[in-house]
Amino acid sequence: MSAIKTLATTEVYRNKWMRLREDKILRADGNEGIYSVVEKADFVVVIAREGDSLYVVEQFRYPLGKHTIELPQGAWECAPQADPLRVAAGELREETGLVAGKIRHVGYQKLAQGYSSQGYHIFLAEELVHQQQELDPEEFGLTTRKITLREFETLICEGKISDATSVTAYLLAKLKGMLDMLE
């Protein structure tokens, strides 16, 4: 039996990227309450590795009011059922101009399961060929740069990379032995 029963659902907001709903709920102890849920399509994050380095993107994140350093990531809102591998290859090309000769699935994680069911597929891209970026209008000003794996880890420790998706993706790939540093 579920610990929470949904009594009613109201859509509060919707746009092409997300839906916000508010559920009237009944808890197992008999108390009623409200639960807000953000519904967003799953997305991908790509670790683009070249030797002992990887590619990051830097872009302005409006909610924070500053530029952030992250791994390339995104979704195809117009095709939410698209194969995650195709989305990963497309996002990598779009944001960095890189085309991968080899892409491996690292794993799947949930983003913020306390208020959303959205998750993300993590991919490791290798055998990279450089081409031209194809940025969406929302990505204006996005830049790409190559940094070493050690520098990426240092930036995490210093709090300069604070995007949880990027940190978790890197950690999962490292724990699976996919990012062993070249000596």
Side-chain angles (χ1 to χ4, degrees):
M1 179 176 157
S2 174
I4 298 176
K5 180 181 178 184
T6 304
L7 303 174
T9 297
T10 304
E11 182 174 284
V12 177
Y13 177 78
R14 176 189 295 261
N15 64 25
K16 76 176 187 176
W17 297 284
M18 63 174 279
R19 174 181 180 235
L20 173 62
R21 71 172 208 259
E22 190 171 88
D23 294 348
K24 182 178 178 183
I25 61 165
L26 178 64
R27 294 183 182 89
D29 67 2
N31 287 313
E32 289 187 7
I34 300 252
Y35 214 104
S36 297
V37 178
V38 176
E39 296 176 350
K40 291 187 74 164
D42 284 353
F43 65 102
V44 300
V45 59
V46 183
I47 303 165
R49 180 179 181 171
E50 194 170 69
D52 68 346
S53 298
L54 55 80
Y55 287 85
V56 294
V57 296
E58 188 169 347
Q59 62 184 318
F60 184 77
R61 289 298 193 181
Y62 180 80
L64 303 178
K66 66 179 188 175
H67 282 83
T68 62
I69 301 168
E70 306 167 5
L71 292 172
Q73 54 191 280
W76 289 353
E77 292 80 12
C78 60
Q81 302 304 320
D83 176 19
L85 179 61
R86 286 189 59 230
V87 177
E91 287 295 320
L92 181 64
R93 168 72 192 270
E94 178 185 298
E95 292 189 3
T96 67
L98 297 169
V99 175
K102 179 179 175 185
I103 300 181
R104 294 185 282 162
H105 192 256
V106 175
Y108 179 82
Q109 295 284 297
K110 289 296 187 182
L111 182 64
Q113 55 201 22
Y115 64 84
S116 178
S117 61
Q118 183 182 39
Y120 55 98
H121 293 272
I122 304 161
F123 290 91
L124 176 64
E126 298 174 296
E127 300 174 11
L128 306 172
V129 175
H130 298 263
Q131 295 185 1
Q132 197 68 21
Q133 280 180 308
E134 298 174 0
L135 298 176
D136 286 336
E138 293 88 4
E139 297 168 325
F140 177 80
L142 181 144
T143 59
T144 301
R145 66 180 161 124
K146 182 177 174 180
I147 63 174
T148 67
L149 298 175
R150 282 193 174 87
E151 184 181 359
F152 189 84
E153 291 177 4
T154 299
L155 292 172
I156 291 171
C157 290
E158 291 174 348
K160 293 178 181 169
I161 294 178
S162 61
D163 174 56
T165 301
S166 297
V167 174
T168 303
Y170 183 85
L171 176 62
L172 185 59
K174 185 170 182 172
L175 289 173
K176 288 186 170 189
M178 300 172 91
L179 292 178
D180 293 336
M181 293 189 198
L182 304 175
E183 298 302 328

